[in-house]
Amino acid sequence: YEPGRPPEQLVWMRANGTLPDEPVLHTCLLTYLSDMTLLDTSMMPHISGYRDDMMTASLDHTMWFHRPFRFDDWLLYHMESPSSSNGRGFVTGHIYDRAGQLVASTAQEGIMRVKNTV
């Protein structure tokens, strides 16, 4: 992405293959993946692409599960960052199933810093 882009992104995700009918497994996988791109959204207006000199760390990560879903079917993750300043970013996310139903929501605040190279 290029600097100056709006702090919003859409990501499609699913498991590569069929998973067992174990709802806790699907929930755990979505929880893990929900953190992978969330904070990146808050950096989109400020930096261009991935940078080795950036350090990010989550201060908190919250999820709400609204209805059953399968992680081996496509899920759309819509992320927005309403605030990103002074080395901190706040991001919210909404995860929809293929039918467009909201299955989970997320919120995260994190630290974003340029690494000290000295």
Side-chain angles (χ1 to χ4, degrees):
Y1 47 84
E2 295 300 318
R5 279 198 50 203
E8 178 180 21
Q9 63 177 328
L10 297 165
V11 174
W12 285 98
M13 58 184 162
R14 71 173 171 90
N16 185 11
T18 304
L19 297 172
D21 292 332
E22 183 58 47
V24 173
L25 175 64
H26 294 261
T27 300
C28 289
L29 290 169
L30 180 59
T31 301
Y32 176 75
L33 261 288
S34 72
D35 186 47
M36 306 255 334
T37 57
L38 200 52
L39 252 179
D40 294 346
T41 309
S42 64
M43 294 191 296
M44 292 174 90
H46 308 290
I47 67 169
S48 175
Y50 177 79
R51 288 178 37 182
D52 285 333
D53 65 339
M54 291 297 294
M55 183 277 304
T56 61
S58 175
L59 296 173
D60 55 40
H61 183 91
T62 303
M63 287 192 80
W64 298 268
F65 297 95
H66 309 299
R67 59 186 43 83
F69 62 91
R70 291 198 57 95
F71 195 71
D72 52 4
D73 196 3
W74 287 107
L75 298 171
L76 177 63
Y77 198 4
H78 177 223
M79 295 160 275
E80 295 180 284
S81 177
S83 179
S84 177
S85 64
N86 299 314
R88 291 179 108 157
F90 174 69
V91 187
T92 59
H94 297 92
I95 302 165
Y96 300 91
D97 65 13
R98 187 191 298 239
Q101 292 186 310
L102 181 65
V103 298
S105 300
T106 60
Q108 184 175 46
E109 185 177 29
I111 296 173
M112 305 172 297
R113 302 271 194 273
V114 175
K115 291 179 185 175
N116 185 357
T117 57
V118 177

